[in-house]
């Protein structure tokens, strides 16, 4: 049996280490290896965005990312968005704007949106639509999600002012 590969990286600001299966993907390493169930398994083929995480701040699909490629890098998931009892502005806006129904797409949406707002806290509506264009939602029709991301951007700018 091929040997597993040790992988050490930062997960939501905390150093972690785990063993990756040969050819194993990051989604499996996070969920089964480290117990972070916030990134979701949807299609497993790079087509739905439910598994979106941030790698060094940029959105990536964990289901099609080789686990061993995150060695030494920063990985962010929805599990790291809140600061203690304080939700991230995106989480607050999604709740207030009823932007989640079944919620299965929500972690991926939040991470795609976080990457956008971290880089551009004043996005246009078109830029929001583009940022989440790889994330599928079967429930909401997308409009509440786009509205929530724009509302979160306002909150982010308000906190920074
Ligand atoms: S589970 Fe990764 S893109 Fe669908
Ligand atoms: S809220 Fe159900 S898939 Fe988006």
């Amino acid at each position: 049996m091929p040997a597993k590969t040790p992988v050490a990286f930062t997960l939501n600001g905390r150093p972690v280490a785990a063993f990756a299966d040969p050819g194993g993907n990051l989604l499996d390493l996070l969920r089964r290896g480290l117990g972070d169930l916030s990134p979701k398994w949807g299609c497993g083929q790079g087509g739905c965005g439910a598994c979106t995480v941030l790698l060094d701040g940029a959105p990536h699909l964990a289901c099609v990312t080789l686990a061993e490629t995150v060695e030494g890098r920063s990985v962010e998931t929805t599990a790291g968005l809140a600061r203690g009892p304080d939700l991230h502005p995106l989480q607050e806006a999604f709740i207030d704007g009823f932007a989640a129904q079944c919620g299965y797409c929500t972690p991926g949406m939040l991470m795609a949106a976080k990457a956008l707002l971290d880089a551009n806290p004043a996005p246009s509506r078109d830029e929001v639509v583009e940022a989440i264009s790889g994330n599928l939602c079967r429930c909401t029709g997308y409009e509440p999600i786009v509205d929530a991301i724009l509302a979160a951007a306002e909150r982010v700018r308000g906190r920074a002012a």
Side-chain angles (χ1 to χ4, degrees), residues 1-138:
M1 177 185 284
K4 295 192 176 206
T5 305
V7 188
F9 57 101
T10 301
L11 177 59
N12 297 323
R14 187 170 55 92
V16 295
F19 288 97
D21 290 327
N25 65 55
L26 177 60
L27 182 60
D28 196 45
L29 187 74
L30 290 170
R31 290 180 59 88
R32 288 204 308 149
L34 292 164
D36 183 346
L37 302 180
S38 64
K40 300 304 179 205
W41 194 97
C43 63
Q45 299 178 338
C48 75
C51 64
T52 303
V53 301
L54 303 192
L55 270 187
D56 296 331
H60 282 71
L61 300 172
C63 73
V64 290
T65 299
L66 269 179
E68 58 201 63
T69 64
V70 305
E71 172 71 30
R73 300 177 72 181
S74 164
V75 178
E76 295 174 66
T77 68
T78 312
L81 279 183
R83 291 285 170 268
D86 298 323
L87 294 178
H88 188 280
L90 278 163
Q91 293 172 305
E92 293 176 342
F94 268 58
I95 293 169
D96 293 347
F98 302 101
Q101 289 184 25
C102 81
Y104 205 80
C105 71
T106 306
M109 289 285 185
L110 288 170
M111 298 318 291
K114 181 176 188 292
L116 172 67
L117 297 193
D118 285 350
N120 175 12
S124 67
R125 192 172 193 87
D126 284 350
E127 287 170 329
V128 170
V129 170
E130 173 67 25
I132 61 168
S133 61
N135 295 73
L136 302 185
C137 176
R138 294 173 65 100

